[in-house]
Amino acid sequence: MFGGTGKRAFVRTDIPLRERLIGGFILLLLVGVGAGVFHKGQHFDPALFSLDPQFLDAGQPARTPAPLIAEEGEDRAGSRPAPVVPLAGPAPLPAAPVKATPAGSWWANLAPPGWKPQGEAEHFAPDNLYVKINGRAEQYLAYEVAGLECAGVVEDKGGFIDIFVYDMGTSLRAYGIFSVERPPEAAALDLGREGYKSGASFFFWQGRHYVQVVAGGEGEVFEQAGLLIARQVAGRLEDRGERIWGKEALPAAGQVQGSLQYFMRDALSLDFLGETFVARYREGGRELTVFLSRQETPGAAAQVLGKYLEYLKGYGAVEEGKDTPVHLGDLGGFYDAVFSQGRYVGGVSQAEDRDLALGWAERLAGQMANTED
Amino acid sequence: MERREFLRRVGLTGLAVAGGAGGAAWLYDPRRGDQYFRDQQVSQAHKLPSFRVERPSGSVDLAIARGSDPGQLARAAIGALGGMGSFISKGDVVLLKPNVAFDRAPLLGATTRPEVLKAVAVLCREAGARQVLVADNPINQPEGCFFKSGLQQAAAEVGAELVLPRASAFAPVEIGGEVLGTWPMFWEPLARADKVIGIAPCKDHNLCSGSMSMKNWYGLLGGRRNQFHQRIHGIVSDFPHMIKPTLVLLDASRVLMRNGPTGGSLGDVAERGTLIAGVDMVAVDTCGYTLLNRDPARLEYLHRAEARGLGSTRWRESSWREEQVG
Amino acid sequence: MRITQIRLVSQVFFISLFLFFCFVTQFGYLKGYPVSLFLEVDPLVGIATALTTHTVYQNLIWGLVLLLPTLLLGRFFCNWICPYGILHQFTGWLFNRRDITENIESNRYRKLYALKYYILFGMLAAALLGSLQIGLLDPICLLFRSFTVAVLPLVNLPTEWIYVRPHVHQVGWVVGFLLLFLVGMNIAIPRFFCRVLCPLGAALGLLSRFSLWRIHRDTQKCVDCDLCLQRCEGASDPHTNLRKSECFVCFNCIDDCPHDALKFEFLPDVKGEVSRPQLDARRSAVAALAGALVFPFSRGSGDVGKNFKKEVVRPPGSVAEPEFLERCIKCDQCIRVCPTNVLQPALLQSGLEGIWTPIMNMRTGYCELNCTLCGEVCPTGAIQKISIAQKLGLGEFADLGTVKVGTAFYDRGRCLPWAMDTPCVVCEEVCPTSPKAIYSREVEITDRWGQMVKLTRPYVDPQACIGCGICEHECPVADERAIRVTAVGETRSKDRSLLLSAAGGGGCGSGGCGCKSNKGLMQIEAPAQGPA
């Protein structure tokens, strides 16, 4: 079946030299083509096959969607808990930071001896906050940050310290963001209204500002310079002595140091619970999570209580209080005790000891009943 | 006609007749319709063995590591559990199952971090593993996903073998879950492995709210797995029944806070500096869910799995440790 | 080494190179290999696209590498380099059962061989008016397309060497059987395609009239034995006056002549050759006319303008449709390189001119977000080379915005949460944009049994939707997906925009005036086909 050219009449044998030379030249050409193809193959731009990371640094966390729009009723205790996102407006355009005005500001003459200021101080508005701090902007926006000012100092060996001053608008919100960023075991410091040290970095809140003095390294040099800077900044920031209601309302006895936190919304990951303080308490070897929320009106507080009870019913049995304002939810091994008194809604969340939870909630309810508010 | 000729011809024809009749008899299928369909379902399905290890009582079952370097977090967490040696024996073939579902760069938090995969692979080798396999069945294109997530390079750097989900690597597996019956699974790497370690990132998920160490096993499913979203909590709670891995890691060093599970923007990612490792994936997920700023009491599949006895959400009552790294 | 053995080495080299390129045009193997090399040096591609677009696009300048030597040496390409020619020659050799006399007879010139010139004239006339059809029969385009659509899937079936997830190509059987037919015809007529149909061969043949070298017969030594015709590949009559336009410079005749009467001579006597192909003027005119009519007849059918089909979703980075049809040579390299198998060769969806051009079929695949491989391999710029950053509208491309190839639409009568009280939203899950182009709203409904059921119902945000189609691909309603992407809202064409803001882009927004936007080749619009 396969014939081929075996049946030729004549095969030429005398090959002239010129033909051989040309043949050799052509072979060299082929080798050249092959080498050229191979070379081209090894040299290529990796950005062809995956997105160049530098474009990710530009960061585009533009629009943040509103929470799910429920078409019927507001009960969301289903399989889709609301993500913690702030309600934001239309997509902001990335903008260059505006140069801040010098003199009379907290960053003037900030550099300690041996350090000098690095660049200009920068100012960011809420909608271009992410340009400076990327994904962390979301957290500050949740507390309605009004603006960020930042400056830096640098020393001869290249070490740097960055200072971030967030204008949170009110002391309550400054306290809020401070409290949620604070790690539970942080060493408390007498700095600003309240502060702590973490590594060689310092954090505090003062007036309506929240400040971070973030060291670019570890060690004695950074700690000394950082503390100096922090105290200077604290001294320059106004504090009108606004009171933080939750610190005063919740009892200090037994409160775990550094556990008190203020949430503007979604406290305990519950979307109906805003304006709430949450703290951990230690009693007799057991720990307890206690919360206290202050609403606009007693009616609003009653509504929040209603929603809380609905939520509890979704997961377990609820004992409505008969001669006590406290309602107890039994979630199969965990107990929530909750009450409302006047404008306040409060209680204990996820406790293992039923009696402890009940007792605590009743005491707290009693305390709030006596509060004129 | 000669006798020899006669015998030859009759013999040949006889052989042809016998061959035809015999062949037909051998292939004969007498089944009726109902029996035929019943038999189809039971054909050749594999069963997955358990990859769990016996551990001495009093072992730490869940470890939380906090810090900034993800590789170190993995080492610390596994160390706190008793070290990789308490899971891997000498000569084991270990399958690492990362989440590589999408063709995203590592910074976007939608896939397993290469540093964590490498750290776990190195630990396996140190514990004496003979071979480390890396496998996943992505939603996007496999070659692109492994490359863009950095996991192809990570696997090459630690000498791990990348097993791609070719059609021939799938086989039906009898699972017997609430939603999953017998289903085609990415069988080849499972058949080769002695131990299986899941390495999942912590992600928001538009449908089931959290994609963590349990949801990670979705990547072993083949076939038309896009139907399970109709009973998403059912199927996620099926996973601890479907597979009993040696160990799971939940990498929450970078968490995809929203727009999950695909992400796509740096603004969706938050640094959370935490890694959780454990033997009970339900416990690990309960612990990790809080890093999404959500309450695990509201995550249906966790409670479903617990109610079926497949794990416990009360990790605090078990033996657990927390480590600070760096 | 005799010259024919060198030629054989060259043939093995180039067919191997071609097969290598076919194999390597794939994510993971591609690296920087110049896989479009054969198409780029193909002068017919360069000439035809120059006629349609009035430019020589980028690497098509390499066509000169073949063009110039052809002007000197003749149609050596056909036997030394062309992979399709090599395939034909090999098949013809393999199945050759003729004896010497039969071989000689099969290689005589026939009038049929003039057909390729008429085909060429028709195609060039079409190109002159703006319709690029050379890709239908150009040998490189045809071979690459056949490999992509028929041969490689065939190889993958038993071996799994080519794809991780197998690729399918619609109506691939036509291409497969066509290849089989054309290659099989070598048994009847040697080098059937090369002699009868190949437009590139015809073009090179026409250019050969200027060649300074040719096979020359020494009439003194020649004894008219006709043995030179035994293995003549081109059927160029070396035994009489050589037809320069048909000679493939294979040198077989020189090897076969027992009297050493044939040589490859520089500037021999023109009386000993037939310089130009023998063509019938009337037939040429008819062919040219037929070709010229392609453009008005097919545009008159409306598939490119007013009556465009919604299935014609082109790859990202494509130029607007009229220009696309001026550039696409149907080589299907984009279809080969596409990692997800979304690109498919069209049939008549984009009209007569669009046969075998790439369109997306979201059932077989979807457009991977971080991928621009199709544009990387397109040799003629029908799909422009855009970076991933440009495709996504990041960084310096933020003002241009994302490249959209279409928009997704829900079929609420099929979608599970909309029509069947069943939860789903896989579409939202896999939507790759951030924020997602699919969002949802929760409803509480009473099902038929009286139970309260919470459902999540999805919606498309047309501003954010890029038309990638992964939603359609993953939708579990497998027969006809409940969400489908169609070719409206694509950024390459103002005529097919959906939203006002997208259509505007600094212009009037109506798209009817056909004014050019200042945003680069992709958004340059040919004059609108319909009223404003």
Side-chain angles (χ1 to χ4, degrees):
Chain A
M1 178 179 157
F2 300 121
T5 53
K7 291 178 259 175
R8 271 155 62 198
F10 165 81
V11 179
R12 182 171 66 118
T13 46
D14 184 21
I15 318 294
L17 178 65
R18 179 192 269 182
E19 187 174 322
R20 285 185 217 263
L21 285 175
I22 292 174
F25 174 69
I26 291 172
L27 284 178
L28 283 174
L29 269 181
L30 292 181
V31 170
V33 170
V37 167
F38 179 76
H39 179 263
K40 201 91 194 346
Q42 309 313 311
H43 295 82
F44 60 97
D45 179 8
L48 282 181
F49 301 107
S50 56
L51 184 60
D52 197 335
Q54 57 136 333
F55 289 105
L56 286 175
D57 286 343
Q60 284 210 37
R63 313 173 93 115
T64 48
L68 273 194
I69 307 160
E71 286 193 14
E72 237 181 78
E74 302 245 17
D75 183 25
R76 303 276 307 285
S79 56
R80 286 205 56 172
V84 177
V85 284
L87 288 160
L93 296 165
V98 171
K99 287 205 167 54
T101 51
S105 318
W106 57 264
W107 56 81
N109 303 317
L110 196 60
W115 298 72
K116 55 184 196 297
Q118 179 185 50
E120 301 264 13
E122 297 169 316
H123 171 80
F124 295 88
D127 56 357
N128 66 348
L129 204 55
Y130 67 87
V131 174
K132 185 70 181 172
I133 59 172
N134 293 332
R136 296 189 290 122
E138 169 218 340
Q139 232 187 342
Y140 296 95
L141 291 167
Y143 278 91
E144 293 177 16
V145 61
L148 163 66
E149 285 170 347
C150 34
V153 298
V154 66
E155 53 134 12
D156 307 329
K157 293 190 213 77
F160 64 89
I161 296 178
D162 286 334
I163 305 102
F164 299 85
V165 174
Y166 294 89
D167 179 356
M168 304 306 298
T170 66
S171 282
L172 185 61
R173 297 206 284 266
Y175 178 79
I177 187 70
F178 168 82
S179 66
V180 298
E181 282 206 358
R182 171 179 54 186
E185 68 285 351
L189 264 186
D190 178 20
L191 180 64
R193 255 283 220 131
E194 233 183 289
Y196 64 91
K197 169 168 134 35
S198 175
S201 301
F202 296 87
F203 304 81
F204 67 91
W205 70 277
Q206 170 95 338
R208 64 176 206 277
H209 291 99
Y210 169 59
V211 181
Q212 300 168 327
V213 178
V214 181
E218 304 272 22
E220 194 62 14
V221 176
F222 285 93
E223 285 184 46
Q224 279 186 348
L227 188 56
L228 215 62
I229 290 170
R231 290 211 187 283
Q232 266 199 305
V233 174
R236 292 172 188 181
L237 291 174
E238 187 186 54
D239 187 354
R240 293 190 199 155
E242 274 177 66
R243 297 168 70 163
I244 309 297
W245 68 264
K247 280 166 135 308
E248 296 170 34
L250 283 169
Q255 194 182 92
V256 172
Q257 162 82 284
S259 72
L260 181 66
Q261 291 179 319
Y262 164 69
F263 295 91
M264 276 183 75
R265 47 178 77 92
D266 297 287
L268 302 174
S269 300
L270 301 169
D271 58 339
F272 51 81
L273 197 61
E275 295 301 314
T276 304
F277 277 84
V278 180
R280 301 275 296 164
Y281 282 82
R282 207 172 278 130
E283 186 168 305
R286 289 201 175 262
E287 278 204 0
L288 217 53
T289 301
V290 177
F291 69 93
L292 189 65
S293 175
R294 186 167 77 176
Q295 300 296 314
E296 294 281 318
T297 62
Q303 270 197 337
V304 172
L305 177 67
K307 287 181 193 163
Y308 203 119
L309 293 175
E310 281 303 304
Y311 152 69
L312 290 178
K313 283 181 187 146
Y315 281 95
V318 174
E319 278 175 61
E320 311 257 353
K322 291 193 184 58
D323 40 358
T324 155
V326 177
H327 308 282
L328 192 69
D330 181 352
L331 304 173
F334 284 92
Y335 299 90
D336 275 26
V338 60
F339 67 87
S340 84
Q341 281 284 6
R343 286 170 63 189
Y344 293 92
V345 181
V348 177
S349 167
Q350 304 262 299
E352 291 156 30
D353 185 335
R354 182 187 180 283
D355 295 327
L356 193 63
L358 202 52
W360 250 101
E362 282 177 357
R363 273 205 303 281
L364 193 58
Q367 181 193 315
M368 299 326 292
N370 295 331
T371 309
E372 281 170 7
D373 210 328
Chain B
M1 185 180 301
E2 293 205 31
R3 180 178 301 175
R4 189 182 289 166
E5 175 78 7
F6 174 78
L7 281 173
R8 191 178 69 86
R9 288 176 66 171
V10 169
L12 267 172
T13 307
L15 266 172
V17 168
W26 188 46
L27 295 171
Y28 180 60
D29 183 357
R31 293 179 295 177
R32 293 154 49 98
D34 54 331
Q35 185 58 42
Y36 180 85
F37 287 113
R38 245 178 286 211
D39 285 349
Q40 288 279 306
Q41 288 172 9
V42 188
S43 64
Q44 296 159 341
H46 301 275
K47 274 183 115 79
L48 263 181
S50 168
F51 297 99
R52 286 229 179 103
V53 200
E54 279 294 315
R55 311 228 296 142
S57 64
S59 300
V60 173
D61 290 329
L62 188 140
I64 308 171
R66 299 195 197 271
S68 54
D69 182 316
Q72 283 186 14
L73 289 180
R75 280 185 168 267
I78 292 175
L81 290 174
M84 191 61 98
S86 65
F87 296 101
I88 308 293
S89 318
K90 196 157 158 50
D92 271 348
V93 174
V94 184
L95 168 62
L96 303 183
K97 162 60 181 87
N99 181 338
V100 203
F102 305 104
D103 67 329
R104 293 272 183 267
L107 276 175
L108 292 170
T111 50
T112 298
R113 286 182 83 162
E115 302 94 312
V116 177
L117 185 91
K118 282 203 283 192
V120 175
V122 168
L123 284 171
C124 287
R125 288 230 184 258
E126 286 171 3
R130 172 167 56 96
Q131 192 181 25
V132 176
L133 306 174
V134 175
D136 190 18
N137 183 22
I139 292 179
N140 290 149
Q141 294 315 298
E143 312 96 303
C145 289
F146 276 107
F147 180 82
K148 290 169 197 174
S149 61
L151 287 173
Q152 180 179 315
Q153 169 141 13
E157 281 172 17
V158 293
E161 182 191 323
L162 204 56
V163 184
L164 287 175
R166 294 182 194 274
S168 56
F170 285 79
V173 175
E174 204 186 303
I175 296 164
E178 189 180 292
V179 176
L180 284 170
T182 302
W183 196 262
M185 271 182 80
F186 190 9
W187 174 248
E188 186 198 315
L190 289 168
R192 289 167 63 184
D194 299 308
K195 302 278 162 59
V196 175
I197 300 179
I199 309 177
C202 184
K203 307 198 287 185
D204 166 54
H205 195 281
N206 70 311
L207 188 55
C208 64
S209 179
S211 169
M212 299 175 283
S213 65
M214 283 168 78
K215 183 82 170 44
N216 187 31
W217 301 109
Y218 212 107
L220 289 178
L221 296 178
R224 288 197 52 235
R225 52 188 181 169
N226 56 353
Q227 298 168 85
F228 293 124
H229 303 74
Q230 299 162 35
R231 291 174 68 182
I232 192 69
H233 289 279
I235 193 175
V236 179
S237 68
D238 262 353
F239 290 140
H241 172 82
M242 175 179 96
I243 184 161
K244 315 270 185 227
T246 314
L247 178 59
V248 293
L249 277 82
L250 179 61
D251 175 16
S253 55
R254 243 185 238 142
V255 174
L256 187 62
M257 301 297 288
R258 61 194 143 120
N259 265 320
T262 50
S265 151
L266 279 184
D268 299 330
V269 182
E271 301 276 341
R272 302 298 259 167
T274 311
L275 189 142
I276 305 164
V279 293
D280 177 356
M281 57 176 94
V282 180
V284 168
D285 280 1
T286 311
C287 179
Y289 192 56
T290 55
L291 291 157
L292 284 162
N293 287 349
R294 292 170 199 176
D295 182 3
R298 308 181 68 191
L299 189 53
E300 194 181 324
Y301 64 71
L302 291 178
H303 301 286
R304 268 229 172 118
E306 185 173 42
R308 290 164 64 183
L310 298 169
S312 170
T313 59
R314 297 176 206 188
W315 57 274
R316 284 185 207 272
E317 294 169 19
S318 71
S319 165
W320 64 278
R321 269 173 58 184
E322 190 167 328
E323 300 252 328
Q324 186 71 33
V325 178
Chain C
M1 286 257 278
R2 65 187 71 230
I3 195 73
T4 45
Q5 286 168 326
I6 305 290
R7 189 205 78 214
L8 199 60
V9 171
S10 171
Q11 288 179 299
V12 168
F13 175 78
F14 281 108
I15 188 86
S16 309
L17 190 64
F18 182 83
L19 291 175
F20 173 72
F21 285 155
C22 276
F23 185 78
V24 129
T25 309
Q26 186 171 323
F27 186 96
Y29 300 128
L30 183 61
K31 298 197 197 156
Y33 291 114
V35 294
S36 308
L37 190 63
F38 283 94
L39 291 161
E40 287 162 355
V41 301
D42 180 341
L44 185 60
V45 173
I47 291 169
T49 50
L51 284 175
T52 53
T53 64
H54 313 297
T55 59
V56 174
Y57 178 78
Q58 291 196 7
N59 283 354
L60 293 180
I61 197 90
W62 283 92
L64 289 172
V65 164
L66 264 185
L67 199 75
L68 299 176
T70 302
L71 290 171
L72 295 173
L73 299 167
R75 270 174 81 174
F76 70 96
F77 171 82
C78 298
N79 231 82
W80 286 69
I81 301 177
C82 180
Y84 203 30
I86 295 167
L87 180 64
H88 288 297
Q89 183 175 357
F90 177 71
T91 315
W93 169 81
L94 201 62
F95 295 100
N96 188 4
R97 282 190 301 173
R98 303 182 186 95
D99 62 22
I100 295 176
T101 319
E102 286 165 345
N103 271 329
I104 292 172
E105 291 312 309
S106 70
N107 289 329
R108 294 192 190 279
Y109 182 78
R110 295 189 204 188
K111 292 240 189 70
L112 178 64
Y113 300 163
L115 178 59
K116 58 183 183 289
Y117 295 99
Y118 305 136
I119 291 174
L120 178 69
F121 295 148
M123 290 180 166
L124 288 179
L128 206 59
L129 269 81
S131 178
L132 190 64
Q133 300 305 314
I134 54 129
L136 291 172
L137 282 175
D138 177 286
I140 317 290
C141 299
L142 192 153
L143 192 61
F144 204 97
R145 180 173 63 234
S146 305
F147 264 77
T148 298
V149 164
V151 178
L152 290 178
L154 172 67
V155 169
N156 191 65
L157 215 53
T159 60
E160 281 192 328
W161 286 342
I162 313 290
Y163 316 106
V164 175
R165 291 179 179 158
H167 285 204
V168 297
H169 304 92
Q170 59 198 36
V171 205
W173 56 271
V174 169
V175 174
F177 280 121
L178 189 64
L179 181 70
L180 187 66
F181 167 74
L182 290 172
V183 172
M185 277 300 286
N186 287 299
I187 298 175
I189 296 177
R191 302 296 288 269
F192 169 77
F193 179 87
C194 307
R195 295 176 185 175
V196 178
L197 295 176
C198 184
L200 175 58
L204 295 174
L206 287 171
L207 293 168
S208 293
R209 79 178 273 279
F210 300 108
S211 68
L212 301 176
W213 278 267
R214 67 161 170 88
I215 301 283
H216 176 71
R217 182 176 66 103
D218 184 339
T219 45
Q220 306 295 332
K221 292 190 186 164
C222 175
V223 303
D224 290 322
C225 64
D226 285 0
L227 282 175
C228 51
L229 285 176
Q230 263 181 96
R231 296 183 300 145
C232 175
E233 293 295 320
S236 51
D237 289 349
H239 65 302
T240 52
N241 288 340
L242 184 83
R243 293 171 187 274
K244 281 214 297 187
S245 61
E246 307 303 305
C247 175
F248 292 173
V249 195
C250 67
F251 296 122
N252 280 347
C253 48
I254 292 181
D255 262 8
D256 286 342
C257 178
H259 304 283
D260 203 25
L262 291 164
K263 291 221 177 350
F264 195 58
E265 287 265 311
F266 174 68
L267 284 180
D269 193 350
V270 289
K271 286 212 250 352
E273 69 188 37
V274 176
S275 309
R276 291 180 231 203
Q278 272 181 308
L279 300 172
D280 182 58
R282 200 164 49 169
R283 288 189 188 147
S284 307
V286 169
L289 181 66
L293 288 175
V294 166
F295 184 87
F297 280 176
S298 77
R299 295 296 160 102
S301 310
D303 302 285
V304 176
K306 264 208 270 191
N307 197 21
F308 74 95
K309 300 289 179 299
K310 61 182 184 197
E311 307 90 70
V312 181
V313 180
R314 294 278 189 208
S318 297
V319 297
E321 191 65 11
E323 183 157 10
F324 191 89
L325 293 169
E326 284 177 359
R327 287 178 178 267
C328 180
I329 52 172
K330 310 162 208 275
C331 64
D332 290 4
Q333 279 209 312
C334 51
I335 296 178
R336 171 73 187 105
V337 83
C338 177
T340 59
N341 194 206
V342 67
L343 290 179
Q344 297 288 325
L347 293 172
L348 290 172
Q349 291 95 326
S350 56
L352 182 68
E353 298 169 81
I355 295 177
W356 292 329
T357 56
I359 59 173
M360 290 197 187
N361 181 342
M362 309 306 181
R363 292 173 55 104
T364 55
Y366 59 91
C367 185
E368 193 91 289
L369 187 73
N370 291 305
C371 173
T372 51
L373 290 173
C374 48
E376 279 310 311
V377 297
C378 179
T380 55
I383 311 170
Q384 292 286 309
K385 291 185 197 335
I386 56 172
S387 61
I388 298 180
Q390 184 173 351
K391 183 184 180 193
L392 302 181
L394 293 178
E396 52 187 319
F397 305 105
D399 58 324
L400 283 175
T402 355
V403 172
K404 297 179 198 229
V405 296
T407 310
F409 293 88
Y410 276 103
D411 185 343
R412 289 188 182 177
R414 304 191 125 247
C415 176
L416 295 174
W418 278 106
M420 305 197 184
D421 289 355
T422 307
C424 184
V425 285
V426 187
C427 45
E428 186 186 13
E429 176 185 345
V430 294
C431 179
T433 58
S434 173
K436 288 183 190 282
I438 294 178
Y439 61 97
S440 43
R441 294 189 166 129
E442 237 179 47
V443 290
E444 258 193 68
I445 54 132
T446 314
D447 74 1
R448 63 181 294 200
W449 311 112
Q451 298 259 26
M452 289 298 274
V453 171
K454 266 205 205 316
L455 280 180
T456 316
R457 288 186 171 158
Y459 297 77
V460 173
D461 176 355
Q463 290 264 23
C465 180
I466 58 173
C468 76
I470 190 171
C471 50
E472 180 176 347
H473 184 66
E474 294 295 324
C475 177
V477 187
D479 57 341
E480 191 179 337
R481 310 287 157 115
I483 178 169
R484 294 188 289 275
V485 174
T486 52
V488 72
E490 44 181 7
T491 44
R492 68 172 180 141
S493 168
K494 285 213 170 62
D495 265 357
R496 302 182 192 186
S497 61
L498 180 63
L499 301 172
L500 181 63
S501 53
C508 57
S510 68
C513 58
C515 58
K516 287 187 193 314
S517 104
N518 61 347
K519 287 180 183 169
L521 199 55
M522 259 186 327
Q523 302 193 295
I524 290 180
E525 174 75 332
Q529 299 298 313

